[in-house]
Amino acid sequence: MSDYRAPIEDMRFVMDELADLPGIARLPGFEEATPDMADAILEEAAKFTGEVLAPLNAVGDREGCRWQEGAVSTPPGWKEAYRQYCESGWNGIACSPAYGGQGLPNVLAIAVKEMVCSANLAFSVCPLLTTGAIEALMTCASSELIETYLAKMISGEWTGTMNLTEPQAGSDLALLRSRAEPQADGTYRIFGQKIFISYGEHDMAENIVHLVLARLPDAPPGVRGISLFLVPKVLVNADGSPGMQNDVACVSIEHKLGIHGSPTCVMAFGEQGGAVGHLLGMANRGLEYMFIMMNEARMGVGLQGVALGERAYQQALAYARERKQGRDAVTGEALVSIDKHPDIRRMLMLMKSRVEACRATTYYTAGLLDRAHAGMDPEQKKRDLLLAEFLIPVVKGGGTEMGIEVTSLGIQIHGGMGFIEETGAAQYWRDSRITTIYEGTTGIQANDLIYRKLMRDQGATAKIVFDEVRATAAALLDSACPELQAIGQRLLTAQQAWCDATEWVLSNAKSNASGVLTAAVSYLNLATTVCGGWMLGKAALVAASHLDKGEGAPRFSRNKIATAGFYAEQILAQAHAWERIVAAGDASIKHIGDELFE
């Protein structure tokens, strides 16, 4: 298994040139995100993830977690690595300084998160969920709960979870049965069972703060009657010290295809009389609050796809350069390394270009969220937030689907050795397979993109994106460089396909729900494809400017242009196919009866 080397050069380029970290650093509260600070953070994070977390990746996959009498033991080295992670301050890098965080921009923090995910995905799940829980508490918790819990969670001393799924209620939370009974002292007693709870129990922190969806006795039916509760594993005394064990238990952990080092727990609340919980925000608005945490998690899971794709690419490239087999098809040289073979080069470029495209889309979205949070112009902040929310399903759905395809290509490049566990190539694919499922499947992301994002303003936000893409294509076409002109023409053609598909969706969303829902994932694939081309087109323009001015590393700039050109030719060309599939709707299945599946 190859070592992990964080792609700092590309991360820094995307942060600065596409997400505009220098501009974000001028916003109130982000002044400390200087170039020197960014360099120091990236270098230290690369060292920590490469030297501490990456060597534990195979250990976690091989050893997994252990459950015994309600206690969960993480793999060897996990506790020590987590302690070091917290002591170094990585857990609170983008959190409020008022509670011990560093208050740095998300677009800088997301690069650190990518390194953690690439180095050891199973490990990364724990801090990812804690960050989401912190965001939820900052939004809807009382000042008393914030004072009690937030600093400990930001430091990483206490971790957080999200408890949605129940045996009978997966994606359909209207079926949720967990209940909350109000008590005279203002607390609640929580009863119910939750499944698929990542890090619901573990041995890395002294307390686990569960955010639990449950129903109050007088709650209306369906999702309108769901409230959100904070339920700690260990109760907290008035002075902030740990108290008694709460009525919360892990009754088992799952045996899974991948992320073996991340315990996936079945949690029981209230088996000994009721777990003590605290209402977060207003009653019956729990799903609204949980979506705050879920949006954070969806961004993080999309990043996981990017991170696994990067790790798989690094290993595949290292293997292809070492493995010698066959003749060079051009020179006739015998016994060459397989990276000289055209089909291997094609697969390597597919991996590289798709990872870089999704990384850029993810970082760009993080930058929008930073500006929406800290910007000065209210209208601009609103616009940036709408754009970020529009792109989040593209980040999550597109990034995770890309991760599965790219990690699969990594196995293919290894050939038969990729099927052998000892090489480590298979682990990346196995780990990636969950990413399109948890925090909302690809189908749910596609439906979210259409019905929650596109339809909420009848395509007004989408039009802003379309105008930005067309402006990038126009700039490429105006260039004197034939390579950039070719990229611009392909981007413009792909953008038109996305526009045409969007018009079909908008005109059919109400009258032809079956057709739109059938086409939804194809529409998401189209959006992902065009957004990736847009980001790489912007990157190519910047790289060409650097070359013209003699700035930066010429090798890196030339590679950026070449990568954008490959993506435009090999991947943007698929946009028309996706558009035709979208426009077909459910024509090929609407007359199919159940007998076809017998």
Side-chain angles (χ1 to χ4, degrees):
M1 183 180 294
S2 68
D3 296 332
Y4 169 65
R5 299 177 305 281
I8 292 178
E9 190 173 24
D10 192 58
M11 288 175 166
R12 191 62 195 271
F13 176 88
V14 174
M15 286 162 50
D16 287 348
E17 305 294 353
L18 303 185
D20 188 25
L21 178 59
I24 292 169
R26 291 192 290 270
L27 296 175
F30 291 149
E31 295 89 352
E32 291 190 12
T34 62
D36 287 345
M37 172 68 80
D39 285 340
I41 286 174
L42 294 181
E43 289 170 8
E44 284 302 311
K47 182 179 179 181
F48 173 75
T49 54
E51 296 179 2
V52 178
L53 295 184
L56 294 175
N57 191 44
V59 176
D61 185 57
R62 183 175 62 252
E63 300 293 334
C65 295
R66 301 285 188 270
W67 179 91
Q68 186 174 11
E69 297 181 354
V72 174
S73 301
T74 51
W78 240 242
K79 287 188 292 185
E80 294 77 11
Y82 183 74
R83 187 181 306 114
Q84 191 172 344
Y85 175 86
C86 294
E87 289 173 352
S88 300
W90 300 121
N91 202 63
I93 188 170
C95 296
S96 171
Y99 299 96
Q102 299 179 47
L104 293 168
N106 276 304
V107 74
L108 179 54
I110 207 165
V112 175
K113 292 177 183 178
E114 182 190 335
M115 294 183 200
V116 175
C117 292
S118 279
N120 193 327
L121 184 71
F123 179 93
S124 76
V125 173
C126 185
L128 168 69
L129 289 168
T130 303
T131 301
I134 289 167
E135 288 296 319
L137 292 186
M138 288 290 289
T139 301
C140 63
S142 66
S143 58
E144 181 181 0
L145 290 175
I146 286 176
E147 289 297 327
T148 301
Y149 289 93
L150 205 62
K152 295 281 190 180
M153 295 176 71
I154 287 175
S155 70
E157 292 175 74
W158 297 351
T159 62
T161 71
M162 55 194 302
N163 289 248
L164 291 80
T165 308
E166 298 180 4
Q168 80 293 340
S171 300
D172 187 359
L173 292 174
L175 301 176
L176 187 144
R177 294 176 186 163
S178 292
R179 69 186 197 277
E181 298 180 357
Q183 305 297 302
D185 63 357
T187 64
Y188 295 78
R189 291 294 183 269
I190 311 298
F191 301 87
Q193 186 181 88
K194 300 289 184 177
I195 62 172
F196 302 152
I197 309 306
S198 298
Y199 281 92
E201 172 61 25
H202 59 82
D203 57 1
M204 300 193 305
E206 65 180 10
N207 204 356
I208 302 171
V209 181
H210 302 288
L211 300 193
V212 183
L213 291 181
R215 295 185 185 279
L216 290 165
D218 58 350
V223 296
R224 293 178 302 162
I226 297 174
S227 298
L228 180 62
F229 298 87
L230 184 155
V231 185
K233 172 186 172 180
V234 178
L235 299 175
V236 182
N237 295 322
D239 63 359
S241 63
M244 296 176 56
Q245 173 77 32
N246 204 356
D247 189 3
V248 178
C250 173
V251 297
S252 67
I253 60 174
E254 306 293 352
H255 303 281
K256 304 168 298 186
L257 176 68
I259 56 169
H260 296 154
S262 171
T264 301
C265 305
V266 177
M267 302 299 297
F269 296 87
E271 290 194 334
Q272 304 298 322
V276 178
H278 305 272
L279 178 66
L280 292 174
M282 297 177 64
N284 303 324
R285 292 180 63 182
L287 198 57
E288 173 189 338
Y289 301 138
M290 186 63 86
F291 263 104
I292 297 167
M293 185 175 185
M294 196 175 293
N295 273 335
E296 174 78 24
R298 285 177 173 178
M299 279 282 290
V301 174
L303 186 69
Q304 289 178 353
V306 175
L308 285 168
E310 173 66 35
R311 188 78 188 270
Y313 168 68
Q314 288 190 17
Q315 177 155 332
L317 178 61
Y319 180 82
R321 286 173 168 172
E322 295 172 359
R323 172 68 167 165
K324 293 188 175 182
Q325 193 167 27
R327 290 180 177 273
D328 188 307
V330 177
T331 67
E333 179 185 353
L335 202 61
V336 295
S337 57
I338 63 173
D339 64 314
K340 300 296 191 294
H341 299 319
D343 189 53
I344 298 293
R345 296 178 84 81
R346 176 190 66 86
M347 288 191 283
L348 287 169
M349 281 303 298
L350 280 173
M351 297 175 79
K352 175 181 173 63
S353 63
R354 296 198 65 192
V355 167
E356 291 187 10
C358 285
R359 174 183 294 124
T361 305
T362 304
Y363 286 31
Y364 180 82
T365 305
L368 289 171
L369 289 171
D370 281 327
R371 284 189 286 274
H373 169 71
M376 301 297 289
D377 182 345
E379 286 302 313
Q380 185 64 40
K381 289 176 65 172
K382 180 180 177 181
R383 176 185 182 275
D384 289 337
L385 181 59
L386 287 172
L387 287 174
E389 291 176 344
F390 182 84
L391 289 172
I392 281 175
V394 177
V395 169
K396 200 282 184 186
T400 57
E401 291 288 347
M402 177 279 295
I404 290 175
E405 293 173 17
V406 165
T407 54
S408 180
L409 282 171
I411 295 174
Q412 187 72 14
I413 288 172
H414 281 75
M417 292 305 296
F419 204 67
I420 304 303
E421 286 288 357
E422 283 75 10
T423 64
Q427 183 190 345
Y428 307 131
W429 179 84
R430 286 189 288 100
D431 284 352
S432 73
R433 196 61 193 85
I434 186 59
T435 61
T436 59
I437 299 172
Y438 61 13
E439 311 307 342
T441 65
T442 302
I444 289 174
Q445 303 307 310
N447 293 348
D448 179 62
L449 176 61
I450 289 175
Y451 284 101
R452 290 182 179 270
K453 308 301 167 57
L454 181 65
M455 295 298 298
R456 70 178 173 184
D457 57 10
Q458 293 300 304
T461 301
K463 185 178 183 301
I464 296 173
V465 176
F466 297 165
D467 289 345
E468 293 279 352
V469 177
R470 279 192 286 266
T472 299
L476 288 161
L477 287 167
D478 285 345
S479 169
C481 173
E483 288 178 276
L484 298 189
Q485 292 172 9
I487 295 168
Q489 185 57 59
R490 292 184 174 108
L491 178 58
L492 192 63
T493 301
Q495 172 55 40
Q496 188 58 53
W498 192 9
C499 286
D500 293 345
T502 301
E503 288 299 320
W504 184 90
V505 168
L506 288 171
S507 62
N508 284 272
K510 295 181 179 179
S511 61
N512 183 14
S514 175
V516 171
L517 289 169
T518 301
V521 169
S522 296
Y523 182 83
L524 174 62
N525 289 337
L526 173 56
T528 302
T529 299
V530 179
C531 284
W534 171 35
M535 290 294 115
L536 291 185
K538 289 168 69 71
L541 284 168
V542 174
S545 175
H546 286 178
L547 287 173
D548 290 343
K549 297 175 182 178
E551 299 173 347
R555 171 200 55 80
F556 179 84
S557 295
R558 287 192 294 269
N559 287 348
K560 268 296 173 189
I561 295 170
T563 301
F566 177 90
Y567 186 98
E569 182 178 283
Q570 297 286 321
I571 300 172
L572 274 180
Q574 300 170 15
H576 266 299
W578 288 124
E579 185 273 327
R580 288 193 293 271
I581 295 170
V582 169
D586 64 346
S588 62
I589 65 171
K590 65 182 178 180
H591 299 301
I592 293 175
D594 291 344
E595 64 274 8
L596 183 70
F597 303 104
E598 294 177 354

